[in-house]
Amino acid sequence: MRLLGLPRATLLLLGACANYSTGTARARTLLQDCRFANPVAAGADPWVVRHESAYYLVQSKDRTIWVYKSDQLTEPTQNGVPVWTAPRNGWNRSNVWAPELHYIDGRWYIYYAAGKSGPPFIYQRSGVLQSTGDDPQGRYVDKGMLYTGNDVREGSENIWAIDLTVTRLGSQLYAVWSGWEANATTDRTPQHLYIARMSDPWTISSDRVRISSPTESWERGTELDLNEGPEFLQRGADVFIIYSTRESWLKDYRLGQLRLNGPDADPMNPSSWTKSGPVFTGAGTVYGVGHASFTTSPDGTEDWIVYHSKVDTLPGWDRVIRMQAFGWRPDRAPDFGTPAPTGSPIRVPSGQCAP
């Protein structure tokens, strides 16, 4: 679950890197020493994609979705443009959460969650916007709500869904999201991960299949059991879904992993996925790490994780954006390491500045 509004950390950190010694904001990365420090901005649920030498970050603020464009990964909140505002009426008029930006077949698509009211947040559903051209900061049209229920043929009741993401495996486009088994009258309802096939970027064409539930001890929360924030990570023939688990508002939020059991495995078969975790947890004074996205350095030689963390241990959704390079284990699974401490100098992504 995600709440909008970050009363602390916001104005000070937005669009800035942190000073190495104090963790306070400063204007820009020091190119002469080729270093930066976390956190890099205020915000949550960061989705960053690299396209034609630029990095695009998509974020929601109140009822509006913004797309930012930067030539430096470590300064993601530059050149922001509002590309869509929720209508005053309709299913998606409030609580716009966790947008993602995907380039598919020559158009940009923004997938997001929204609802007609809340709290309680019991009406969240997943929607999609389509760009009218090839500019990710250009105009978008609303393609409507995606079907996340149990019977796509009959189009029966849509079921609560957030954090929808998409990818193409082979020739087939898939959607994966976090959802409930059935609609409920409380938002303290367990969340699971579901997958479905898509016939095009705005149409789910199969019934959903549950591929993960919060059943492992490291996934079980103290207030609520959930799986959410699924993101595909692919390297060669290896396919992973990195997802968030435990309560997003508490300090033990973390990342888990599903791995597809080979290139011939059917993603729609739950037994095709192997779970492991936790694969990334808070450390030191970096709390509640989760909802990651993945990109590469400007020269393509490094893999980077972009994620959010809580600003303190208190329950709530005050969060900031962080990033760091990651490697790969001998079994070809990602190795995210541990979160870089606040304010510690980190070398910028390879190719971002001259040494």
Side-chain angles (χ1 to χ4, degrees):
M1 261 179 267
R2 289 167 179 76
L3 292 182
L4 306 175
L6 300 165
R8 288 173 289 174
T10 48
L11 297 177
L12 187 62
L13 288 170
L14 188 59
C17 291
N19 180 280
Y20 302 143
S21 59
T22 67
T24 57
R26 61 189 179 84
R28 294 180 64 85
T29 302
L30 295 176
L31 296 183
Q32 63 268 27
D33 62 16
C34 293
R35 293 182 296 171
F36 77 102
N38 281 318
V40 297
D45 309 327
W47 176 267
V48 175
V49 61
R50 180 167 171 78
H51 182 74
E52 295 181 349
S53 77
Y55 291 96
Y56 294 93
L57 168 72
V58 60
Q59 292 273 274
S60 59
K61 296 179 184 180
D62 299 319
R63 298 169 51 250
T64 297
I65 292 176
W66 290 68
V67 175
Y68 298 85
K69 180 180 181 180
S70 177
D71 61 355
Q72 297 189 28
L73 174 60
T74 56
E75 297 180 16
T77 53
Q78 295 200 22
N79 307 308
V81 173
V83 299
W84 180 80
T85 297
R88 294 193 176 276
N89 297 294
W91 72 270
N92 57 350
R93 61 181 176 262
S94 67
N95 304 315
V96 179
W97 294 351
E100 292 192 6
L101 179 66
H102 294 261
Y103 191 61
I104 306 171
D105 300 333
R107 295 284 184 93
W108 290 95
Y109 294 88
I110 295 176
Y111 297 90
Y112 67 97
K116 63 183 181 181
S117 67
F121 303 102
I122 61 175
Y123 299 108
Q124 294 301 96
R125 304 290 187 270
S126 292
V128 58
L129 312 173
Q130 182 191 57
S131 67
T132 58
D134 60 3
D135 181 3
Q137 293 186 303
R139 180 173 171 267
Y140 285 79
V141 295
D142 190 345
K143 299 293 285 186
M145 185 192 300
L146 289 153
Y147 183 73
T148 53
N150 285 322
D151 192 339
V152 69
R153 179 170 302 206
E154 295 297 326
S156 57
E157 182 183 29
N158 234 337
I159 297 175
W160 193 93
I162 64 170
D163 299 348
L164 189 141
T165 192
V166 300
T167 200
R168 183 170 275 129
L169 299 177
S171 61
Q172 179 62 56
L173 191 65
Y174 293 92
V176 172
W177 66 91
S178 177
W180 295 348
E181 288 186 284
N183 289 325
T185 57
T186 173
D187 53 21
R188 292 298 177 103
T189 299
Q191 295 169 224
H192 313 266
L193 298 185
Y194 293 89
I195 190 171
R197 290 186 291 270
M198 304 182 79
S199 57
D200 56 51
W202 59 90
T203 308
I204 287 179
S205 57
S206 76
D207 292 345
R208 65 178 189 166
V209 173
R210 187 170 66 185
I211 56 173
S212 180
S213 293
T215 56
E216 299 296 321
S217 59
W218 51 268
E219 297 177 292
R220 303 296 297 272
T222 57
E223 300 178 20
L224 180 64
D225 299 334
L226 58 81
N227 285 176
E228 63 181 11
E231 307 296 359
F232 282 97
L233 176 60
Q234 299 183 56
R235 185 176 188 243
D238 295 309
V239 178
F240 304 89
I241 294 174
I242 307 299
Y243 64 95
S244 303
T245 190
R246 300 194 67 163
E247 302 93 336
S248 62
W249 60 94
L250 300 180
K251 66 181 181 64
D252 291 319
Y253 201 50
R254 59 190 54 186
L255 296 181
Q257 173 183 290
L258 300 177
R259 182 175 190 167
L260 191 62
N261 298 335
D264 297 324
D266 179 7
M268 296 288 292
N269 185 340
S271 65
S272 294
W273 297 94
T274 298
K275 179 182 292 188
S276 58
V279 294
F280 195 54
T281 61
T285 58
V286 182
Y287 314 108
V289 300
H291 207 119
S293 62
F294 310 98
T295 188
T296 61
S297 59
D299 64 8
T301 64
E302 297 171 342
D303 295 302
W304 282 69
I305 180 174
V306 185
Y307 64 98
H308 73 229
S309 71
K310 288 172 53 61
V311 300
D312 54 37
T313 60
L314 299 175
W317 288 274
D318 256 356
R319 293 168 292 190
V320 289
I321 297 173
R322 298 173 179 266
M323 58 182 64
Q324 61 192 61
F326 69 92
W328 298 87
R329 301 182 185 277
D331 67 354
R332 305 189 310 278
D335 182 357
F336 300 120
T338 58
T342 297
S344 66
I346 306 170
R347 185 166 183 83
V348 300
S350 181
Q352 181 167 303
C353 75

